[in-house]
Each structure stands twice: as C-alpha cells, then as structure tokens.
Amino acid sequence: MLIFNHSSFTTFTLVGIPGLESQHLWLSLSFFSMFLAILICNGAILFLVATDPTLHTPMYLLLALLMVADLISTLALLPKLLCLFWFNHRDITSNACFTQMFFIHGASVVRSALLVAMAFDRFVAVCEPLHYNTILSHSLVGRLGLAALAKGVILILPMPLLLQRLTFCHVVIPHTYCDHMAVVKMACDHTRPNRIYGLFVILIVVGLDMLLIGFSYGLILQAVVHLNSRDATCKALNACSAHLFVILVTYVPALFSSFTHRIGHNIPPHAHILLANLYLLLPSMLNPIIYGIKMKEMRDKVAKYLCRGTTWAVGPGNIPVSKRPMRTADNAFTQPSKIQLYSKMSCRKNRPWSSILFCFLAYMKDQFVCTFIEL
C-alpha cells in the first residue's frame, strides 16, 4: 500500500467518469456547449445590470451576485474537466485540488445564501411594496452579499484545512473534480471529523436555507391569500415565479444527487458522477435563461441591445417588407410613414421573444451586408 505522509506532496489523479472513458470526447462536446452557454448568458446578465441604471434595483443587484457565484463555480470546474477529456490531463496537485474544492463548494454555499436573500427581497416586494426601496437599500443589498460571501468562506474553508492533516493511501479519484467526500475516501487516517463536518455543512446550507426560504414564501402565500383582487394575486405570484423556478433548479438536482449517493447503491458510478456535475452546472446555465424569460425588464433590455440602431418598413401584420422607399400608384417613390417605421428596439407585447429573434436575425443580416460592402 502506497502511503503519502503529507498531503502537500500528494498528486491526485482524476479518472473522469468511470465506465464512460471511451465516451469522454463526446461528453466533452456537451460540457463545452454548457460552458459557452453559461459564459454568454451570465455575462450578458452582468453586462445589462452593470450598464443600465434602471436595473440597479435590489432584485437585479442580487441577481448579478448570483451570476457571479455561478461563473466562479463554473470556472473552477469546467476548464479542468475539459482538459481531462480533451488532453487526458488527469493529474492535479493536492494544493490545486483543495483550491478547486474550496471554490466549487464555496460558490455553492454563496449561491444558496443569495437565494435566501432573494426570497427576502420577494417577501418585501409582495408584503411591503410601499416600503420596498426604504427597506432594501443598496447598503443592505451590499451587506447581504457580504454575509453570503462570509458564509461560504467560513463554512467551506475548514474542509481543505481538515484534509491537509490526513495521509492518503490512494491517489486515484473516481470523479471529474475534487469533491470533498471523494477526496476524504482517499485517506487512510481516521476521517470521522471530516465526514461529520461535511454532513454539518449540508444540514446548515440545504436544511437551514430551505427552511428560511420556505418561511418567506409561507408569509408571501399568507399575504396573497388575503388579496381581494385576482389581478393583484396573479401579479404577486408572477413576481415570485422566476425565483421559485431558480430554487427548484438549484435544490432539486442537489437533493436528488445526495439522495442517490446514500441509498442508490444499485445505481452505476457514472450516473452518480454525471448527477454531481449536472447539479453544479444546470443552475448556472438555467438561472439567466429563467430570469431572461420571466422578467419583462430583462426581455426589453435584451431587445434593446440586440435591436438598436436600425429601422425598417413593415407591412400588414407587422411583417418586414423592405428597407427601401416604397413605390406608390403613380410610380413615385415615397418614404414609409412613421406608423410603418419600427425601431429595432421595439418588440410586440404579445410575442416579445419572436420579435427579439427577428431583431437578432435582422441585425446579423445588416452585419453581413456591411462586411460584404467593405470587402
């Protein structure tokens, strides 16, 4: 048995996805697509929030912090995973392994804490709408962000510190990244403190945070039930819908992965590894999409940046017909009327996403024409 006396001199080997080594190249295409989607979507949300003063509200500032946590988690996981799949670069030093562990698990804790803060934001928006800006000031949002960061650092930092005291009998980790429990199983020392602390973190993060979120939405539901207007009820529920979808996307895969690890003994190892990766990546990929679809302000800003700067004439049914002057009955050219000119910033209220897609295609056509003229 090979024993390493000090973790600082240990080099671990990541297997990837056990049982699917021959499929690593094909799996890498899916992970790379997710990587691009996460970078583009989260980067777009951050750009919109940073550049548009109208989005400097508590809800969107908390959303921007959530996007940052998602990006950190993704950047800590996917570059090494893609190097493993593409270049068979499996080795990772213990210090790099513990650093990756800290950022992946720390970002997950920060994400969960931010979801609690966003639940509080929705509670104030529904139950105290007249005092929303007074209660949720920018300074309070900053303190909530710092509290989420402090929670992630305080809870996760002991994990690598406890691992550094161990000696390791095995160095081959059957995983795609340095998961805490996967590294703990490599040790030949007494690992009970590590296991107890890992369970404590799960109970604090998942149990306490879900309890606080449930309490907030219990108060929201109580307030919604007492609303007399059906429109007000629908508006209040719609204000919380995006956050509820994000909660489901974040906690359901995590709980399912933890559940299968403990009682799913007949589930093959590659299924456990894929679930562990998906519960980290799915929230990062879907969160900006959910908020982009559900929040009207975000849809409008996306349409504005995709569709600004060009106008075109439209015919019946809002279908674009030409950008050139139109010919009248007497064979004379006239410019389209103001009613027929639509800016690329405008999107129809009944089908906004079809308009955004149309604006994007028109923008790409204009760029192609300009490039062709320059050539």
Side-chain angles (χ1 to χ4, degrees), residues 279-292:
Y279 99 79
L280 290 174
L281 295 175
L282 277 181
S284 301
M285 185 177 69
L286 295 179
N287 287 350
I289 297 175
I290 292 171
Y291 271 94

Side-chain angles (χ1 to χ4, degrees), residues 202-261:
I202 291 175
L203 292 176
I204 290 294
V205 174
V206 179
L208 181 60
D209 287 357
M210 289 188 68
L211 181 64
L212 293 174
I213 291 172
F215 180 71
S216 296
Y217 274 96
L219 295 177
I220 290 173
L221 186 61
Q222 184 180 9
V224 168
V225 168
H226 290 88
L227 293 175
N228 296 324
S229 171
R230 182 177 179 181
D231 291 339
T233 301
C234 293
K235 186 176 180 180
L237 294 176
N238 186 61
C240 302
S241 59
H243 185 242
L244 284 172
F245 279 120
V246 168
I247 290 172
L248 292 176
V249 167
T250 300
Y251 286 113
V252 169
L255 290 175
F256 185 72
S257 177
S258 178
F259 183 74
T260 56
H261 266 291

Side-chain angles (χ1 to χ4, degrees), residues 32 80 85 94 97 115 119 144 172 221 243 264 288 302 305 350 357:
F32 182 67
K80 178 60 181 176
F85 284 173
S94 59
C97 182
L115 289 178
L144 290 174
V172 179
L221 186 61
H243 185 242
V302 172
Y305 280 97
N350 55 340
L357 177 60

Side-chain angles (χ1 to χ4, degrees), residues 12-16 92 97 171-178 182-183 186:
F12 295 107
T13 300
L14 295 171
V15 173
I92 183 171
C97 182
V171 294
V172 179
I173 303 175
H175 216 294
T176 55
Y177 64 91
C178 290
V183 177
M186 299 296 103

Side-chain angles (χ1 to χ4, degrees), residues 97-98 101 105 159-160 163 166 168 172-175 177-187 191-202 258 261-262 273 279:
C97 182
F98 297 157
M101 179 193 306
H105 294 311
M159 286 185 174
L163 285 171
L166 299 177
F168 295 93
V172 179
I173 303 175
H175 216 294
Y177 64 91
C178 290
D179 179 67
H180 175 249
M181 287 308 300
V183 177
V184 168
K185 292 177 182 178
M186 299 296 103
T191 60
R192 187 175 181 181
N194 302 76
R195 296 174 183 273
I196 292 176
Y197 187 75
L199 183 61
F200 168 75
V201 171
I202 291 175
S258 178
H261 266 291
R262 282 160 177 77
I273 305 302
Y279 99 79

Side-chain angles (χ1 to χ4, degrees), residues 97-163:
C97 182
F98 297 157
T99 302
Q100 184 191 48
M101 179 193 306
F102 172 77
F103 279 105
I104 289 176
H105 294 311
S108 299
V109 174
V110 171
R111 177 194 294 153
S112 182
L114 288 173
L115 289 178
V116 176
M118 295 172 80
F120 175 67
D121 167 81
R122 294 298 84 198
F123 163 73
V124 176
V126 173
C127 300
E128 298 289 341
L130 299 179
H131 302 92
Y132 178 78
N133 291 325
T134 303
I135 297 174
L136 279 168
S137 61
H138 285 184
S139 61
L140 179 59
V141 172
R143 290 196 294 269
L144 290 174
L146 289 176
L149 177 62
K151 180 181 178 181
V153 173
I154 292 172
L155 286 179
I156 300 302
L157 187 58
M159 286 185 174
L161 296 180
L162 288 172
L163 285 171

